[in-house]
């Protein structure tokens, strides 16, 4: 129970990696607030699993790309709990295409939801974290933000941006005892990767030395470590959870 009585906010927590992160933080004793763009009904299963492990879970519907929604979400957390200790910026989308065929809308949507969201929520949480003189911000990036990937210019740019933003926020907030780190998943079994065809999956698996896809729980355990006091001396780092794709 390394996170006993800590309060964690997880964006995009209704399903996929976000739901696994929320559950893992709950298993370690944290009280959870899930935020997602869908109505609360979509998070029913995720919330039940958190309550089943003996923790608390509240829900706030919000679009991470909206600056005002981010502030409202953080206000909701603080009105229900006196602190906000752990902020996990997880929500993300893909709109894949070769750049020759990529629409301006698909570029803008991915950058807004994957990158501007991290700015929005970091702005919203930094003041309460500064006041409480501690905090952990964990941003979910991707290995493609480090290595590039044909057909994902918008997504890769957003995740490379998340990595740059993580390092900058780590430097800006270090003096306030707020650690900011990123987790870069590789190829993880979720609805996001279920959209890929078998040929695309085989091509990616060829790049994975461990020769298998990761599970949302693999990412969640790394996030839980970064959220704990065991990681107090880590900031500005990018931890790849990728079966060895990047080394
Ligand atoms: P997912 O299964 O598609 O889940 C994403 C979640 O984010 C969904 O609950 C979705 O809600 C929510 N969301 C989408 N747009 C949102 C918005 N504007 N505001 C608030 N919530 C929003 O994706 P995942 O695979 O779990 O990915 C989670 C994170 O890991 C993402 O940042 C992704 O880029 C990153 N990642 C994933 C992989 C992988 O292999 N799966 C690899 C590297 C990085 P709806 O269901 O309502 O759309």
């Amino acid at each position: 129970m390394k996170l006993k009585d800590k309060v964690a906010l997880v964006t995009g927590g209704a399903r996929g990696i976000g739901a696994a992160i929320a559950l893992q933080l709950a298993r370690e004793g944290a009280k959870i607030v899930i935020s997602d763009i869908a109505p609360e009904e979509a998070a029913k299963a995720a919330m039940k699993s958190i309550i089943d492990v003996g923790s608390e879970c509240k829900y706030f519907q919000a679009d991470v790309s909206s600056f005002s929604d981010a502030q409202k979400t953080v206000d909701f957390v603080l009105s229900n709990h006196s602190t906000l200790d752990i902020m996990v910026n997880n929500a993300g989308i893909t709109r894949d295409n070769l750049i020759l065929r990529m629409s301006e809308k698909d570029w803008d949507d991915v950058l807004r939801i994957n990158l501007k969201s991290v700015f929005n929520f970091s702005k919203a949480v930094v003041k309460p974290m500064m006041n409480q003189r501690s905090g952990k911000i964990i941003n979910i990036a991707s290995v493609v933000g480090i290595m590039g990937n044909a057909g994902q210019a918008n997504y890769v740019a957003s995740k490379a941006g998340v990595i740059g933003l993580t390092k900058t926020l780590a430097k800006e907030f270090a003096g306030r005892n707020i650690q900011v780190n990123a987790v870069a998943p590789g190829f993880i079994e979720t609805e996001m990767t279920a959209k890929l065809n078998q040929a695309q999956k085989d091509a990616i698996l060829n790049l994975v030395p461990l020769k298998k896809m990761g599970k949302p729980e693999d990412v969640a355990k790394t996030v839980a470590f970064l959220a704990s006091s065991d990681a107090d001396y880590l900031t500005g780092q990018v931890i790849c959870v990728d079966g060895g794709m990047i080394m």
Side-chain angles (χ1 to χ4, degrees):
M1 298 288 267
K2 287 185 172 168
L3 304 175
K4 191 156 171 37
D5 295 331
K6 300 285 183 192
V7 177
L9 169 60
V10 182
T11 68
R15 60 183 174 86
I17 292 173
I21 291 170
L23 178 58
Q24 188 62 34
L25 299 180
R27 281 196 183 109
E28 296 286 351
K31 298 171 188 164
I32 308 296
V33 179
I34 285 177
S35 155
D36 207 289
I37 196 162
E40 184 167 346
E41 184 66 17
K44 228 174 144 183
M47 293 177 75
K48 183 178 179 307
S49 63
I50 288 166
I51 290 159
D52 285 350
V53 297
S55 186
E56 291 175 33
C57 187
K58 293 196 163 49
Y59 185 83
F60 194 81
Q61 186 178 3
D63 177 352
V64 288
S65 69
S66 157
F67 189 75
S68 65
D69 273 17
Q71 190 59 58
K72 284 180 203 156
T73 311
V74 171
D75 290 346
F76 173 82
V77 177
L78 294 172
S79 67
N80 281 280
H81 303 282
S82 51
T83 59
L84 203 183
D85 306 291
I86 302 158
M87 170 77 238
V88 183
N89 286 302
N90 164 78
I93 61 165
T94 50
R95 295 288 180 270
D96 297 351
N97 222 329
L98 293 171
I99 201 148
L100 278 171
R101 295 193 205 118
M102 187 174 287
S103 68
E104 183 183 3
K105 182 175 183 327
D106 282 351
W107 174 272
D108 288 345
D109 285 351
V110 170
L111 269 288
R112 271 188 313 107
I113 293 169
N114 294 6
L115 178 58
K116 187 181 172 229
S117 58
V118 182
F119 165 77
N120 292 341
F121 277 86
S122 300
K123 284 274 285 186
V125 297
V126 69
K127 278 198 188 135
M129 284 183 173
M130 276 165 62
N131 289 340
Q132 70 203 26
R133 291 188 166 66
S134 67
K136 305 273 189 191
I137 301 176
I138 299 146
N139 300 323
I140 307 303
S142 169
V143 287
V144 299
I146 300 167
M147 60 194 265
N149 199 22
Q152 289 197 306
N154 48 3
Y155 185 76
V156 168
S158 73
K159 294 301 186 180
V162 167
I163 290 170
L165 187 53
T166 299
K167 293 179 181 181
T168 299
L169 296 178
K171 289 188 175 179
E172 289 193 13
F173 302 160
R176 306 293 186 147
N177 193 31
I178 300 167
Q179 290 83 31
V180 189
N181 291 291
V183 174
F187 191 31
I188 310 294
E189 277 173 16
T190 68
E191 286 180 38
M192 186 177 269
T193 46
K195 292 181 225 159
L196 300 173
N197 63 37
Q198 197 53 49
Q200 288 171 310
K201 287 185 182 174
D202 290 345
I204 298 171
L205 275 177
N206 260 333
L207 302 172
V208 181
L210 288 181
K211 293 291 171 219
K212 59 178 182 183
M213 290 176 77
K215 298 204 179 307
E217 294 70 33
D218 296 319
V219 180
K221 285 177 187 162
T222 306
V223 171
F225 161 68
L226 288 172
S228 76
S229 59
D230 287 349
D232 277 354
Y233 198 55
L234 266 82
T235 198
Q237 302 306 305
V238 183
I239 302 191
C240 296
V241 179
D242 64 351
M245 275 173 96
I246 290 183
M247 41 172 101

